[in-house]
Amino acid sequence: MKLIVFASLAQCARISVDAFSISSRTAFGKNRGVVNTNINSRRASLSRHEMVTSNNPSSTELPETSPLDPNSFAGLVEKGMIDRFGDGASRIVESWRLVDRGYEHREFVGGQQDPPISEEDSSNSNCHQHCHSYVPGLPAKTFHDVNEFEWTKKLASRYSEIREEFLSVTADMEKLTEEGNNIWAGALSDDASSYGEGWRTLVLLDRGTWDPVNGNLFPK
């Protein structure tokens, strides 16, 4: 079993979309110029409903989506996800369609503050969560119940084994640094810098591709 550590489930979803976009961009590079023009023109021609929604400080009403143009870059990415994962990727596919439409999810969370801020005062409040790659049905919260997702149940069931291997491998940091690849490195890309200041990573899986060096350091 491989050890995977995600900054958050929301970030995981965003990374998944980015991974598919990069893979498809490589596979369908000949369409890149046409596709980029297609996406930009779609974002420039948002319907009145979408523009009103994205300017609303608390827009939780999702615009309607439909299958994307199969000849566009976004459509090729969508097809790749469906072909590979089928119905299991339905929420990510919907998220990708929302990205293609330029939708930004904004939700007022003043009611979660102490003391709570009423909805009536939302227009003067900074208590809004913004998400440019929104995954419907995936709430933004600090900790998720491991029983909510099948894959987290599997990780939880192997917790002791994962922890033992991690502590064993990281006990000798000098050896780990010599044998590993970019061990506890800072942000290596603009995307990684969005995790926040001070983040350090020991990468095992990046955009759907296993790191062969670091992966072998954690054989279980």
Side-chain angles (χ1 to χ4, degrees), residues 2-7 11-24 26 84 181-182 185-195 201-215:
K2 298 289 186 177
L3 171 63
I4 311 172
V5 180
F6 292 114
Q11 183 66 23
C12 169
R14 199 188 80 180
I15 290 173
S16 297
V17 172
D18 289 343
F20 288 121
S21 68
I22 287 177
S23 298
S24 298
T26 301
R84 183 171 181 181
N181 180 32
N182 291 323
L188 300 178
S189 67
D190 291 339
D191 285 343
S193 65
S194 67
Y195 292 168
T201 61
L202 194 168
V203 177
L204 301 184
L205 181 73
D206 184 14
R207 303 177 188 275
T209 302
W210 287 102
D211 185 307
V213 175
N214 292 346

Side-chain angles (χ1 to χ4, degrees), residues 7 10 36 43 48 65 87-88 129 134-135 146 162 172 179 201:
N36 285 343
R43 287 180 174 171
R48 182 177 184 280
T65 62
D87 293 339
Q129 290 182 335
Y134 179 68
V135 180
V146 296
I162 293 171
D172 189 340
E179 297 181 354
T201 61

Side-chain angles (χ1 to χ4, degrees), residues 16 48-49 60 68 74 77 90 107 115 138 151 156 166 189 194 197:
S16 297
R48 182 177 184 280
H49 167 77
T60 57
L68 302 177
V77 174
S90 59
E107 187 168 344
L138 184 64
W151 68 272
F166 178 79
S189 67
S194 67
E197 184 178 354

Side-chain angles (χ1 to χ4, degrees), residues 62 94-95 98-99 103 105 107 131-138:
L62 301 181
E94 178 66 10
S95 174
L98 291 171
V99 168
Y103 174 76
H105 189 80
E107 187 168 344
C131 184
H132 299 279
S133 299
Y134 179 68
V135 180
L138 184 64

